[in-house]
């Protein structure tokens, strides 16, 4: 078992620093049960979530945005959009410990990284290596039970000076995605 420190450092049971957040089995089981109850477990690419991702790329003038659901093994990109008609068909899943979204999920709050290369723990990343990502901004998808279901994020190939307005905007997108999940279920309206 490990504990997550809100400043972003994770330690294992022996107190050793870990580079990726580790979740307890009970947190993962609770999330998977919640995803199942909401009809999201096993969901593939979805037009509604891809539309959200398109709005995110447009709002931030960034090349890539993703709506991401975490199951027990993977991050599942249920919505993805690339500007300029880029092909998102290969953006389907990633191991749940890859990228920056696991940190956003574990923190349960927005996570801006204006220059991922300025942080050694984040510079060695598949997204840096494969697409040349330089900046990231994500927010967790938190439902009415307090369960972090996944994330919304935007990734850019240039450094970004994310400001408070940007953070508030990504948080609003996250709330809108969660509201969209409930709307699909014919359910509640979130504040």
């Amino acid at each position: 078992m490990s504990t997550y420190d809100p400043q972003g450092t994770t330690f294992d049971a022996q107190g050793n620093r870990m580079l990726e957040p580790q979740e307890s089995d009970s947190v993962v089981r609770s999330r998977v049960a919640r995803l199942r109850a909401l009809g999201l477990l096993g969901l593939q690419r979805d037009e509604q979530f891809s539309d959200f991702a398109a709005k995110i790329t447009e709002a931030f003038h960034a090349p890539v945005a993703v709506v991401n659901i975490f199951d027990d093994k993977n991050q599942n990109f249920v919505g993805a959009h690339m500007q300029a008609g880029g092909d998102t068909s290969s953006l389907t899943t990633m191991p749940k410990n890859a990228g920056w979204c696991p940190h956003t999920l574990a923190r349960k709050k927005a996570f801006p990284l204006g220059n991922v290369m300025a942080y050694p723990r984040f510079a060695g990343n598949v997204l840096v290596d494969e697409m040349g990502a330089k900046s990231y901004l994500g927010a967790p998808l938190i439902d009415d039970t307090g369960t972090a279901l996944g994330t919304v994020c935007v990734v850019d190939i240039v450094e970004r000076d994310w400001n408070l307005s940007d953070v508030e905007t990504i948080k609003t997108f996250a709330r809108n995605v969660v509201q969209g999940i409930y709307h699909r279920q014919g359910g509640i309206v979130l504040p």
Side-chain angles (χ1 to χ4, degrees):
M1 177 186 249
S2 65
T3 56
Y4 185 76
D5 176 279
Q7 276 67 47
T9 304
T10 306
F11 300 90
D12 67 14
Q14 291 74 39
N16 300 313
R17 183 171 180 261
M18 299 173 67
L19 293 179
E20 297 296 335
Q22 303 295 311
E23 297 179 294
S24 71
D25 290 341
S26 65
V27 168
V28 173
R29 279 193 307 272
S30 293
R31 181 174 50 251
V32 168
R34 194 69 182 125
L35 292 171
R36 185 176 294 111
L38 292 168
L40 299 173
L41 191 63
L43 184 67
Q44 302 296 312
R45 187 62 48 83
D46 180 273
E47 185 177 342
Q48 177 189 9
F49 293 129
S50 289
D51 288 346
F52 275 116
K55 290 175 185 172
I56 295 168
T57 59
E58 187 176 301
F60 288 103
H61 306 286
V64 178
V66 171
V67 177
N68 183 349
I69 300 295
F70 279 69
D71 62 25
D72 58 336
K73 294 182 178 41
N74 292 307
Q75 303 174 53
N76 300 292
F77 303 140
V78 296
H81 183 77
M82 295 179 92
Q83 281 195 346
D87 180 18
T88 61
S89 63
S90 65
L91 292 174
T92 57
T93 63
M94 255 174 42
K96 77 174 194 174
N97 64 346
W100 305 289
C101 287
H103 297 275
T104 302
L105 188 79
R107 292 163 48 99
K108 285 191 167 183
K109 59 185 180 180
F111 191 33
L113 289 169
N115 174 6
V116 299
M117 301 305 282
Y119 303 90
R121 73 185 287 190
F122 297 123
N125 186 301
V126 65
L127 297 174
V128 172
D129 297 341
E130 291 185 11
M131 74 174 268
K134 298 277 192 287
S135 58
Y136 166 90
L137 177 62
L141 302 173
I142 299 177
D143 74 357
D144 65 316
T145 69
T147 303
L149 306 171
T151 64
V152 293
C153 70
V154 59
V155 177
D156 207 334
I157 57 172
V158 297
E159 292 178 21
R160 298 287 291 259
D161 186 18
W162 304 116
N163 58 41
L164 185 57
S165 176
D166 295 328
V167 171
E168 289 304 317
T169 299
I170 199 75
K171 288 166 55 177
T172 298
F173 276 114
R175 284 190 297 274
N176 291 343
V177 168
V178 172
Q179 188 60 59
I181 291 168
Y182 285 122
H183 182 72
R184 292 162 71 105
Q185 302 298 315
I188 66 171
V189 175
L190 297 175

